[in-house]
Amino acid sequence: MDWLDRVKWGDDGLVPAIAQDAESRRVLNLAWMNREALALTIETGLAHYWSRSRRQLWRKGEQSGHVQKVKSLRLDCDEDVDLMEVEQQGGIACHTGRQSCFYRRLENGKWIEVDSVIRDPREIYGK
Amino acid sequence: MDWLDRVKWGDDGLVPAIAQDAESRRVLNLAWMNREALALTIETGLAHYWSRSRRQLWRKGEQSGHVQKVKSLRLDCDEDVDLMEVEQQGGIACHTGRQSCFYRRLENGKWIEVDSVIRDPREIYGK
């Protein structure tokens, strides 16, 4: 499809994709998409990514139920980064049970965990 | 420095860095940082990146004056993505003269330019 051809995929066939909470406006996570993941995201309305470590396609929330409903999709000026506004199911985007994956802040030369765990990951994923 | 060692730099020595406007909460741009760029960002309080195309360090706004004052720096759960809250000088982050680099939105299978140009780039950069 034309709009998919417009994206400047990297040498590895991937682009970074940012998910931002449509309501709180917090940046929730950055993950990677290949052509198939982006196509499926638009087809289904649910964020799909490519896992570089597991080398497979995944639908965000497929295990946890914390899916991301995509409200809008944007492309940057260089056409090599996606930005999605999402409705985050369960209010939890991070596998640590936090709202956002960006829960560490630099304070006086140290990374401090500044956001609390909303739900114990053992509860989310089973033991 | 300890906090710089904590970052999981990619094989190319880089991590993606997201800049978000501290006030409007808009995601402004994604660019890349190496260790030196991140160290300089914290040292100076101004966002520095590594240009993959020009293969050089740059201070955002060095030509345009549209510097980014960094209010906070966060690291994600995988320790391989940075997120900055910034005060965007001039209200323009994009080299096209727009507030954000994410000015294209997918609508009915087409990328539509939905944000207007605030200042003509020829005026920003000279002819």
Side-chain angles (χ1 to χ4, degrees):
Chain A
M1 269 180 294
D2 198 41
W3 65 275
L4 280 168
D5 294 333
R6 183 79 174 273
V7 179
K8 295 207 174 72
W9 307 98
D11 292 337
D12 52 7
L14 306 177
V15 293
I18 303 164
Q20 178 177 28
D21 192 282
E23 203 178 332
S24 71
R25 313 288 287 154
R26 275 201 72 174
V27 175
L28 299 176
N29 59 270
L30 180 147
W32 297 81
M33 285 186 180
N34 60 8
R35 193 182 162 97
E36 195 185 352
L38 183 53
L40 274 170
T41 294
I42 293 304
E43 210 176 294
T44 64
L46 298 174
H48 286 68
Y49 301 101
W50 173 259
S51 167
R52 295 182 302 170
S53 54
R54 291 180 288 132
R55 302 199 60 75
Q56 66 181 43
L57 199 75
W58 55 296
R59 190 184 71 238
K60 178 89 176 165
E62 60 189 6
Q63 279 191 275
S64 63
H66 298 151
V67 300
Q68 295 180 327
K69 291 188 191 172
V70 178
K71 315 301 282 181
S72 75
L73 175 70
R74 287 174 178 251
L75 187 65
D76 79 341
C77 51
D78 294 333
E79 302 173 320
D80 60 3
V81 184
D82 288 330
L83 171 65
M84 294 175 290
E85 271 193 315
V86 303
E87 193 185 305
Q88 176 63 60
Q89 216 63 21
I92 296 174
C94 187
H95 74 287
T96 64
R98 293 176 174 90
Q99 182 191 8
S100 161
C101 292
F102 295 93
Y103 58 84
R104 290 191 190 92
R105 194 165 61 201
L106 190 67
E107 290 180 9
N108 304 314
K110 286 205 174 93
W111 296 109
I112 309 289
E113 298 187 357
V114 290
D115 297 338
S116 51
V117 172
I118 296 172
R119 197 171 162 212
D120 189 323
R122 284 172 301 187
E123 216 181 283
I124 299 174
Y125 297 99
K127 291 197 186 184
Chain B
M1 269 180 294
D2 198 40
W3 66 273
L4 279 168
D5 294 331
R6 182 78 175 274
V7 179
K8 295 209 174 73
W9 307 99
D11 292 338
D12 51 6
L14 305 177
V15 293
I18 303 164
Q20 179 177 28
D21 192 282
E23 202 178 333
S24 72
R25 313 287 286 152
R26 274 200 74 173
V27 175
L28 300 176
N29 59 270
L30 180 146
W32 297 82
M33 286 188 180
N34 61 6
R35 193 183 163 96
E36 194 185 354
L38 183 53
L40 275 170
T41 295
I42 293 303
E43 210 176 295
T44 63
L46 297 174
H48 287 68
Y49 301 101
W50 173 259
S51 167
R52 296 182 302 173
S53 54
R54 290 179 288 132
R55 301 199 60 74
Q56 66 180 44
L57 200 75
W58 55 295
R59 190 184 71 238
K60 178 89 178 166
E62 61 190 8
Q63 279 190 276
S64 62
H66 298 152
V67 300
Q68 295 180 327
K69 292 188 188 170
V70 178
K71 315 302 280 180
S72 75
L73 175 70
R74 288 176 178 249
L75 187 63
D76 79 341
C77 52
D78 294 333
E79 303 172 318
D80 60 3
V81 183
D82 289 330
L83 171 65
M84 295 176 289
E85 272 192 314
V86 304
E87 194 185 305
Q88 175 64 61
Q89 216 63 21
I92 295 173
C94 188
H95 73 285
T96 63
R98 294 176 173 90
Q99 182 191 7
S100 162
C101 293
F102 296 93
Y103 59 83
R104 289 191 189 92
R105 195 165 63 201
L106 190 67
E107 289 180 9
N108 304 315
K110 285 205 173 97
W111 296 110
I112 309 290
E113 299 187 357
V114 290
D115 298 338
S116 50
V117 172
I118 296 171
R119 198 171 160 212
D120 190 323
R122 282 171 301 187
E123 217 181 282
I124 299 175
Y125 299 99
K127 292 195 190 188

